Amino acid sequence: MSRYPKPPFDTPLQKHIPGQTSEMTPKPDHGEQTYVGNGRLRGKTAIITGGDSGIGRAVAIAFAREGADVALSFLPEELDDARETAAWVDKAGRKALLLPGDIKERFVCKEIVDKTVAEFGKVDVLVNNAAFQIERESLEDVSEDEWDLTFDTNSGAVFRLSRLVVPHMPEGGSLIHTVSVNADRPKPKLLAYSATKSAILNFSGGLAELLAEQGIRSNTVAPGPIWTPLIPATMGGEHVRNFGADGPMKRPGQPAELAGAYVFLASDEASYVSGANIAVTGGVPVI
């Protein structure tokens, strides 16, 4: 679509992961001016990890405009981005609960669920979206600590939060996990990240069968290259400059272009959809 920018991009690289939206050029589109809600999530409550920016912000805006209250989980250093996301939720007339903390820590995962239940009384939707990644040129460059951090943040938190949330989910509850095109097409420079996304895809499929009798669904969304702060914070200059140019659409996707997939999976329209993976990859086939 012509309204979305194509590379090359002239944006500064960022030193801190997962990066700041305010430092990006061009700015990502989260649907601030375009997403129109239709009450598809009226009365629901959702937890969104990585809810401060990128895909998480786009999902939060869409969920709020569809009628849901949202709890936003984010790293403490991302408070400015989280407050901006919360402001958009407020403008939609819904409640936003800010929950800073590092989800690789077990006690933080428990606090996220406990505080959400205390505030809203239940959790209808869990969006496991937060992730860590960083490019490395060789296997030797991937330290054991970095490998563990990547798995604890990406796969470990998905397990812990799902396990903690399910007892508070009513029938019709929805678990939605962000995976990646890299779960199907692993990138050599993203070994740990790609492996975690494959693990989450498998975990979600097992959950779908395990939780079916409880009326709780588990699905995944697999984005392709998406223009978020994580890109200039974790990738090399030339890769960032030409990010998404090698795909069929010759550009990265914008966070706003994923929001509809999450809304569908969270809604009652997807009542018979479980164990599925929705690929939003800009034309790259995912089997």
Side-chain angles (χ1 to χ4, degrees):
M1 297 178 69
S2 59
R3 74 173 182 268
Y4 292 125
K6 292 185 176 182
F9 299 136
D10 184 18
T11 193
L13 300 183
Q14 300 188 32
K15 295 181 179 179
H16 302 291
I17 300 173
Q20 296 285 330
T21 305
S22 61
E23 297 180 18
M24 296 183 70
T25 305
K27 294 291 187 294
D29 179 5
H30 308 95
E32 293 95 334
Q33 309 304 328
T34 56
Y35 192 91
V36 178
N38 294 284
R40 296 161 72 189
L41 303 180
R42 188 176 291 115
K44 293 186 183 293
T45 293
I47 295 173
I48 304 170
T49 68
D52 56 295
S53 63
I55 295 170
R57 177 179 292 182
V59 173
I61 290 171
F63 277 19
R65 292 182 184 176
E66 295 290 356
D69 294 321
V70 296
L72 303 173
S73 160
F74 56 95
L75 289 170
E77 55 266 35
E78 305 305 314
L79 181 58
D80 288 345
D81 270 352
R83 283 174 172 162
E84 186 172 342
T85 302
W88 286 107
V89 173
D90 291 340
K91 288 178 183 178
R94 306 312 307 170
K95 295 179 181 178
L97 178 64
L98 296 180
L99 299 171
D102 190 336
I103 59 171
K104 76 175 184 292
E105 303 292 346
R106 296 181 184 184
F107 77 93
V108 171
C109 292
K110 187 175 187 306
E111 284 183 350
I112 288 169
V113 176
D114 288 348
K115 290 179 178 179
T116 302
V117 173
E119 179 71 18
F120 298 127
K122 60 174 180 172
V123 182
D124 297 287
V125 184
L126 169 63
V127 178
N128 281 311
N129 171 69
F132 174 85
Q133 70 170 37
I134 191 164
E135 282 192 331
R136 297 299 186 196
E137 293 295 324
S138 70
L139 180 60
E140 291 75 15
D141 290 336
V142 182
S143 70
E144 296 223 8
D145 285 345
E146 185 176 288
W147 181 270
D148 290 345
L149 183 152
T150 308
F151 269 82
D152 283 344
T153 302
N154 299 4
S155 306
V158 167
F159 160 71
R160 288 188 289 273
L161 286 165
S162 298
R163 183 173 178 271
L164 290 163
V165 156
V166 164
H168 302 285
M169 274 191 162
E171 186 175 355
S174 176
L175 303 169
I176 308 171
H177 320 284
T178 302
V179 288
S180 170
V181 65
N182 295 337
D184 186 65
R185 294 168 173 250
K187 293 287 179 63
K189 294 183 181 180
L190 291 172
L191 285 175
Y193 175 82
S194 298
T196 65
K197 293 303 182 176
S198 182
I200 295 166
L201 187 65
N202 189 287
F203 177 70
S204 179
L207 276 185
E209 292 196 61
L210 186 66
L211 301 177
E213 289 188 5
Q214 295 174 237
I216 295 172
R217 297 174 291 109
S218 179
N219 294 287
T220 57
V221 177
I226 306 299
W227 189 239
T228 73
L230 198 61
I231 303 311
T234 65
M235 294 183 171
E238 194 60 27
H239 194 170
V240 174
R241 178 175 170 79
N242 294 301
F243 187 66
D246 57 350
M249 294 190 182
K250 309 302 180 186
R251 66 169 178 87
Q254 293 293 323
E257 296 181 274
L258 286 102
Y262 290 85
V263 169
F264 169 67
L265 292 174
S267 75
D268 294 339
E269 297 165 24
S271 58
Y272 200 61
V273 180
S274 196
N277 180 38
I278 298 180
V280 188
T281 63
V284 177
V286 174
I287 306 302

